[in-house]
Amino acid sequence: MRGIPFVSDIIVNEVPIDVDKQVGQKILREIPNSEIDEEKSILLNDFFNQLVIGNETQIIVVKGPIFNAFALPGNSIVVFDAVIKSVHSYPELSALLAHEYAHIKNRHGMRTLAHENLQALLTNELGGDGVNNSDNFIRNANMLRSAKKSRGFEKQADLDGLDILRKNKINSQGFIDLLETINSLEESEKKNKQVLSVYFSSHPETEDRISYIKDEISENTYTFENNLKLEEVFNQLQN
């Protein structure tokens, strides 16, 4: 099984980057009951653009009662408004967006989709018809919605996201706060014997993530500053 991620990553590297956007757009079109909150989307894009990342990522706020956020291939991040209501500070929200952006930067969605659909993709490669792999990714885009999150990808996104906070001089405690918020919501669902929502059921154990993030923070300390602009936009999002 060790060779599967390696082989699928080779296939992804041969797929043009513009295919990512087509895959993301197909998933977005087929999200059920995806009513977009235009006002909050504008504000959250403003918030995200304050982070010094240098990209053209689009943030889409979707109305819905569940805690959920995910990155789509092709530079889009979907955030349910329940997430905005659940976080408590701008460093916490920054951590969430930085984590999701790291998934995009590392093409984790495309790599996950390749792992899920490896047999068909590999058949195309071996048959000398690798060009059809682009169509295969687009056709099977929705497999990504139900795919289990890779522990390795989640850790990479956590650590890369933490690095984004560091570069922006944002308090790294926001990352711990975010994971503790997620952990609290997950425990509440378990206590009330609810079926775990997609976000909680598909992600690795939150306690493990808190542990290695704390280790990383203690080993790489830095000076943070208050960001009045991020705080202002965060407060507007809370209203």
Side-chain angles (χ1 to χ4, degrees):
M1 293 294 289
R2 291 182 179 180
I4 289 178
F6 176 74
V7 172
S8 55
D9 285 353
I10 290 176
I11 294 173
V12 170
N13 289 339
E14 294 179 355
V15 174
I17 195 72
D18 62 341
V19 175
D20 295 38
K21 188 171 184 178
Q22 295 178 64
V23 169
Q25 287 175 338
K26 180 176 180 182
I27 296 172
L28 185 60
R29 285 195 302 268
E30 298 184 19
I31 296 174
N33 303 318
S34 54
E35 182 184 356
I36 296 175
D37 188 321
E38 301 288 354
E39 182 178 355
K40 278 190 166 54
S41 293
I42 292 171
L43 284 171
L44 197 53
N45 275 282
D46 186 17
F47 184 97
F48 183 81
N49 289 335
Q50 301 300 318
L51 304 176
V52 183
I53 295 177
N55 64 90
E56 298 179 355
T57 304
Q58 179 188 20
I59 315 296
I60 302 164
V61 178
V62 173
K63 296 179 181 180
I66 61 171
F67 186 100
N68 199 9
F70 51 89
L72 293 175
N75 267 3
S76 294
I77 297 172
V78 176
V79 179
F80 281 64
D81 61 1
V83 172
I84 298 172
K85 296 171 184 175
S86 299
V87 296
H88 307 92
S89 68
Y90 79 81
E92 200 172 337
L93 183 58
S94 298
L96 180 134
L97 294 176
H99 171 94
E100 296 302 337
Y101 171 71
H103 281 310
I104 294 173
K105 182 188 73 171
N106 293 299
R107 297 185 84 184
H108 286 162
M110 296 294 283
R111 292 162 69 185
T112 299
L113 194 54
H115 298 168
E116 293 290 309
N117 198 33
L118 182 61
Q119 183 174 352
L121 295 171
L122 192 56
T123 299
N124 285 343
E125 289 291 317
L126 295 175
D129 199 17
V131 67
N132 285 337
N133 275 338
S134 295
D135 292 337
N136 205 309
F137 273 101
I138 296 167
R139 184 168 56 252
N140 293 290
N142 279 320
M143 292 176 69
L144 189 58
R145 288 171 52 193
S146 58
K148 183 76 173 177
K149 299 294 186 296
S150 158
R151 286 181 178 271
F153 288 172
E154 287 302 304
K155 185 172 184 177
Q156 185 179 26
D158 283 340
L159 297 180
D160 284 1
L162 185 59
D163 191 52
I164 290 172
L165 264 59
R166 183 181 296 114
K167 289 176 179 176
N168 282 275
K169 298 182 179 180
I170 296 172
N171 191 346
S172 58
Q173 181 62 36
F175 225 116
I176 301 299
D177 292 344
L178 171 66
L179 293 174
E180 288 180 343
T181 294
I182 291 171
N183 197 42
S184 176
L185 292 169
E186 183 178 5
E187 289 302 315
S188 177
E189 287 195 6
K190 289 178 180 177
K191 182 178 179 180
N192 293 321
K193 297 182 179 179
Q194 295 174 264
V195 176
L196 289 182
S197 57
V198 172
Y199 189 90
F200 303 131
S201 63
S202 65
H203 281 70
E205 288 294 328
T206 309
E207 291 290 352
D208 291 343
R209 297 171 67 191
I210 291 173
S211 178
Y212 63 66
I213 284 291
K214 283 183 174 178
D215 288 344
E216 177 67 19
I217 289 173
S218 65
E219 291 172 9
N220 296 280
T221 59
Y222 62 93
T223 302
F224 62 86
E225 301 173 356
N226 290 329
N227 189 312
L228 296 180
K229 178 60 177 176
L230 284 177
E231 187 170 14
E232 177 188 351
V233 179
F234 177 80
N235 289 336
Q236 290 175 332
L237 282 162
Q238 296 300 303
N239 295 330

